[in-house]
Amino acid sequence: MSKKNTGKIGVLLVNLGTPDTPETPDVRKYLREFLLDKRVIDINPVGRFFLINGVIAPFRAPKSAVVYKQLWTERGSPLLYHGIDLKEKLQASLGSDYFVSFGMRYQKPSIKSALEELREQSVDRIIVFPLFPQYASASTGSAHDKIMEIIKDWWIIPSINFISNFCNDPGFIESFAELGRKYLAEDNYDHVMFSYHGLPERHILKGSDHGYCKLGSCCNSYNKRNQYCYRASCFETSRQLAAALGLREDQYSVAFQSRLGKDPWLKPYSDEVLKTYPEKGIKKVLAFSPAFVADCLETTIEVGEEFKEMFEHAGGEKWQLVESLNSNDTWVEAVKQIILKN
């Protein structure tokens, strides 16, 4: 017997994913699902299969497992429990007219299980909110792709609204700026770095609006032609954050981290840029990772620890990571307002 229609609006929060445990078999399983996604590694399917299963997953999994063990807490993976905390706080804030679910693009809880929760509630419509501030085909696009793949088999498909980009949303910007101001009030930093997850340059060019993108000054402004360009969105977030923090243009840098393989990725590279700071007299750096709304391996370990070690080895004195938004109250309110707008 079907449940009575409640008239609720379903909200689906989506993040990337995490291994079930930090042990090598689970990390390998996660890497395989993640890297076999055609939107992540966009090469010939046969070549992708052998590259991932024959080279990357077998050799990278043991190394990544070591890092995941450093990241793991008593509650498990930060990306997972911060997502659950956000879901619960958002549910309480939105109230009974909404039903909030949370799913991961890769591994558990799956997008499919999160969508089933919404279907069980007989929601009238669904607002899909991938937690990626800057649109990229490999993140937001992949989440939307998976959702459509699942929902196409439903007999009744409710109205669905996809939120694709919130790179300059005022609430999102203020949430990060609020965290940054706390550190800026505690010390005099010489420079601020905004470090974003990188992408192959070909991903940017493939999504270009009739050749608009030149991987250069075209990102100096944010407009209708580049609103779904990941690079342009990163620069827009940085400009908005810098303005909110009262930074001049010469007081901050934008760079890209986490590159993989030999193909050209978005430049400049964070790890190369930070090594040049000390010789320029930049000894104290405040680092943001505004592509991530929840702390994870790329923030806590890569930016927070590995970059810190590189910076100090190059002669730097202080490297401070600004934590991600996680489930702090300002961010919960920002998410709520984005939902209400949609």
Side-chain angles (χ1 to χ4, degrees), residues 293-311:
V293 299
D295 277 317
C296 55
L297 187 148
E298 288 83 359
T299 62
T300 304
I301 303 298
E302 187 173 11
V303 179
E305 297 182 12
E306 294 176 1
F307 285 5
K308 180 178 185 290
E309 185 178 342
M310 292 177 192
F311 181 64

Side-chain angles (χ1 to χ4, degrees), residues 106-117:
Y106 313 106
Q107 299 301 290
K108 302 171 185 175
S110 68
I111 287 177
K112 185 174 182 180
S113 68
L115 284 170
E116 283 300 323
E117 288 182 359

Side-chain angles (χ1 to χ4, degrees), residues 17 26 29 31 42 101 156 166 172 211 287 301 338:
D26 283 332
K29 181 181 178 183
L31 288 175
D42 54 330
S101 64
I156 296 175
F166 55 96
F172 163 66
I301 303 298
I338 293 172

